[in-house]
């Protein structure tokens, strides 16, 4: 049964941080989520740059014969809001990376506060992609930063990497899968497609699973994963 955090506990609450040393990265148990195939790219409109999306730039998209289904940055926005708001993140047991369709790799600090209004999120992503990092106000702490590929260089040594796919024949219940087939004392990486539909080709995965017999949104997949890890690790 869950309980509310007492006032003295709230006062001593420490914001989540990323592991600093290699030993911490390799041993600290946490869920690592890689949002794969994210549609984050900028386009010049007049004198300014905007985040390309199928709602605001349909004429430009059609002119360049691109598929608007693949230009949905709102999917990444929804995933980030869900993940960063989760108890798992507040407990310091979640790490997020974004890998875009344009092969840009982004590290998301757990203390990042993503704008809830989509237009503001778009502005933030344009700033990030052009300046390569976003720092906290009045601090040198980088909340969002573009880092060097490949993603595997930033994952813990020996970390198991599991892709999620509705098309996969290996259907599992997330909590049961974690308890019976994973070492939950170490970091575990799950790859979630930040796309509307379609199967992603992730060459560096170790395994692939489906966590529902129904097609789910990327944010829905993230919610099921964080919920399962919270139950296994006793986070309320």
């Amino acid at each position: 049964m869950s309980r509310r955090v007492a006032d003295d506990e709230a006062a001593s609450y420490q914001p989540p941080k990323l592991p600093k040393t290699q030993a911490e990265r390799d041993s600290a148990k946490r869920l690592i989520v890689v949002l794969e195939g994210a549609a984050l790219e900028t386009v010049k409109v007049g004198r300014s740059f905007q985040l390309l999306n199928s709602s605001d730039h349909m004429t430009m998209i059609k002119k360049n014969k691109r598929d608007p289904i693949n230009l949905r940055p709102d999917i990444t926005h929804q995933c980030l809001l869900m993940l960063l708001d989760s108890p798992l993140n507040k407990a310091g047991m979640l790490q997020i990376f974004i890998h875009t369709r344009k092969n840009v790799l982004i590290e998301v600090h757990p203390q990042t506060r993503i704008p809830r209004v989509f237009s503001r999120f778009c502005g933030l992503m344009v700033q990030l992609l052009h300046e390569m990092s976003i720092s906290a106000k009045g601090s040198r702490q980088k909340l969002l930063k573009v880092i060097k590929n490949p993603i595997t260089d930033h994952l813990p040594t020996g970390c198991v990497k599991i892709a999620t796919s509705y098309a996969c024949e290996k259907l599992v219940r997330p909590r049961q899968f974690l308890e019976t087939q994973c070492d939950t004392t170490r970091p575990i990486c799950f790859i979630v497609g930040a796309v509307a539909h379609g199967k992603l080709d992730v060459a560096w995965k170790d395994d692939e699973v489906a966590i529902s017999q129904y097609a789910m949104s990327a944010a829905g997949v993230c919610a099921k994963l964080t919920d399962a890890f919270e139950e296994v690790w006793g986070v309320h």
Side-chain angles (χ1 to χ4, degrees), residues 6-222:
D7 290 341
D8 56 341
E9 291 178 299
S12 62
Y13 170 72
Q14 296 295 320
K17 298 179 180 179
L18 292 173
K20 293 183 178 180
T21 67
Q22 186 62 46
E24 288 178 343
R25 285 194 290 269
D26 290 346
S27 62
K29 65 180 183 182
R30 65 193 185 282
L31 165 62
I32 301 170
V33 173
V34 178
L35 298 176
E36 180 66 37
L40 299 178
E41 59 180 282
T42 62
V43 61
K44 192 170 185 179
V45 180
R47 295 184 177 181
S48 64
F49 285 91
Q50 298 178 8
L51 194 67
L52 184 64
N53 66 85
S54 57
S55 296
D56 299 328
H57 308 107
M58 185 59 75
T59 301
M60 184 181 300
I61 292 169
K62 289 182 176 179
K63 182 179 179 180
N64 289 282
K65 298 181 180 179
R66 300 186 63 178
D67 188 351
I69 293 295
N70 295 326
L71 298 171
R72 293 278 309 278
D74 59 295
I75 295 175
T76 302
H77 182 222
Q78 293 163 9
C79 290
L80 289 175
L81 288 175
M82 185 275 126
L83 290 167
L84 291 168
D85 276 349
S86 69
L88 194 69
N89 183 59
K90 294 175 182 179
M93 304 174 86
L94 177 66
Q95 187 172 4
I96 307 167
F97 294 96
I98 304 169
H99 187 225
T100 76
R101 295 174 60 87
K102 293 291 187 178
N103 198 33
V104 177
L105 184 60
I106 301 166
E107 183 180 60
V108 182
H109 193 279
Q111 294 180 31
T112 303
R113 298 182 66 179
I114 293 294
R116 297 191 177 275
V117 179
F118 180 62
S119 59
R120 291 185 61 196
F121 169 77
C122 290
L124 183 69
M125 290 299 104
V126 170
Q127 182 182 352
L128 170 64
L129 293 171
H130 284 210
E131 298 181 5
M132 309 301 282
S133 67
I134 300 290
S135 298
K137 188 175 182 180
S139 169
R140 292 185 177 182
Q141 176 65 63
K142 292 183 178 180
L143 300 177
L144 298 162
K145 62 179 179 179
V146 175
I147 57 178
K148 188 177 180 180
N149 278 296
I151 177 65
T152 49
D153 286 353
H154 305 277
L155 298 179
T157 305
C159 173
V160 63
K161 301 169 282 292
I162 305 166
T164 58
S165 173
Y166 165 65
C168 181
E169 294 183 357
K170 185 178 180 180
L171 178 62
V172 302
R173 294 182 183 274
R175 179 176 179 177
Q176 186 180 52
F177 176 73
L178 293 176
E179 292 177 329
T180 61
Q181 300 186 46
C182 298
D183 180 2
T184 55
T185 64
R186 302 192 69 252
I188 303 173
C189 174
F190 272 85
I191 307 154
V192 179
V195 295
H197 67 76
K199 185 176 180 179
L200 295 172
D201 183 17
V202 183
W204 49 274
K205 66 186 177 186
D206 297 318
D207 197 2
E208 186 174 59
V209 299
I211 63 171
S212 175
Q213 61 185 322
Y214 303 105
M216 297 180 64
S217 67
V221 173
C222 291

